[in-house]
Amino acid sequence: MIGEFNLYGIYFPWLLVLGMVTLAVAWAVRRVLARVGLYRLVWHPALFDLALFVVLLYGVSLIS
């Protein structure tokens, strides 16, 4: 996972790129979970969103 992503001569850390991809995936998952009504059962939605992001980041990094 150590490395850089080159975009027209600008180097970005690979974790930043994975974080941006994860942010888009987490946004879609949160919308689905909110539509289903899962957030009514969650005690602290902000902590749940953070944990969801960390789990999805781990998954995205495994896939890459």
Side-chain angles (χ1 to χ4, degrees):
M1 190 164 98
I2 297 173
E4 296 156 342
F5 178 73
N6 185 4
L7 182 65
Y8 297 111
I10 301 173
Y11 291 98
F12 296 100
W14 189 241
L15 188 60
L16 178 67
V17 175
L18 292 178
M20 293 300 191
V21 170
T22 304
L23 193 62
V25 171
W27 178 77
V29 170
R30 280 188 305 180
R31 287 187 53 106
V32 169
L33 293 178
R35 186 171 300 270
V36 170
L38 183 81
Y39 278 99
R40 289 182 290 132
L41 304 174
V42 173
W43 172 69
H44 202 291
L47 287 177
F48 181 79
D49 288 340
L50 177 65
L52 180 68
F53 180 80
V54 169
V55 169
L56 288 175
L57 181 61
Y58 176 70
V60 168
S61 68
L62 281 180
I63 290 172
S64 71

